[in-house]
Amino acid sequence: LRNSLRTQLSLYNSAGTLLASCGGANWLPGTSNCFLEKTLPKAGIYYVRVSDDQNVQSDTNYWLQIGIVEPNEPNDTFGQATQMSYGQTVSGLVTEGDISDFYRFYGYQGDYVTLLGVGLGLDVYNQNGNYLSSNFEDWGLPLSFSLPATGWYYAEVYAYAFLDPVPVHIGVYHLTIDR
């Protein structure tokens, strides 16, 4: 949640029972934004209440992001990269607390690959961790190129933070690697 409020988030089940809340001491460092992570006990209807921690009565805009916790964690470094294959699609989540995820795939010299990571940044590295390509200039668009050698490659999906230390493009993503 990113806004101008001193946010208070409260999560309720369909019966109105409070399951979790954040605000005040739970704000993200250096902000008045709160981040709430909760594993839901079962499928159903849930409610989120967004309010001002100081109960100020004023109109304001805020941004609320609700997502999944990805099953591939931890995959935040080259050493933790989740293995993928051509044609496979994975889903994940980047947040202010987890701004990048790494995946690895095996490719052959001359393979023309396309990586599609909807809405987020993509960088590709060779098996030695050397940078090869990015979709930075064409943010959120597919990244296509020919592999220079046979071996392992790494794809990093990351939140975009242009001239801002706090990522502004965060959320759920889907990554597909095609040949």
Side-chain angles (χ1 to χ4, degrees), residues 119-138:
L120 296 169
L122 278 171
D123 288 347
V124 176
Y125 303 86
N126 68 13
Q127 62 191 8
N128 298 319
N130 297 316
Y131 171 85
L132 296 176
S133 190
S134 175
N135 73 343
F136 183 78
E137 295 294 323
D138 297 311

Side-chain angles (χ1 to χ4, degrees), residues 28-106:
L28 293 169
T31 74
S32 59
N33 299 324
C34 111
F35 180 81
L36 181 61
E37 186 174 303
K38 174 73 175 165
T39 300
L40 300 176
K42 62 181 181 177
I45 297 173
Y46 295 87
Y47 301 94
V48 176
R49 179 176 184 238
V50 180
S51 60
D52 189 336
D53 188 75
Q54 299 177 344
N55 293 320
V56 173
Q57 300 295 320
S58 66
D59 292 335
T60 189
N61 295 321
Y62 62 87
W63 179 51
L64 177 65
Q65 173 96 27
I66 298 175
I68 60 169
V69 176
E70 75 176 282
N72 297 313
E73 288 292 342
N75 64 340
D76 303 326
T77 66
F78 288 108
Q80 297 172 330
T82 300
Q83 187 169 326
M84 291 183 67
S85 302
Y86 289 141
Q88 181 181 0
T89 299
V90 294
S91 296
L93 176 70
V94 291
T95 67
E96 289 182 1
D98 179 19
I99 62 170
S100 69
D101 291 330
F102 284 84
Y103 296 89
R104 70 184 188 131
F105 63 97
Y106 194 84

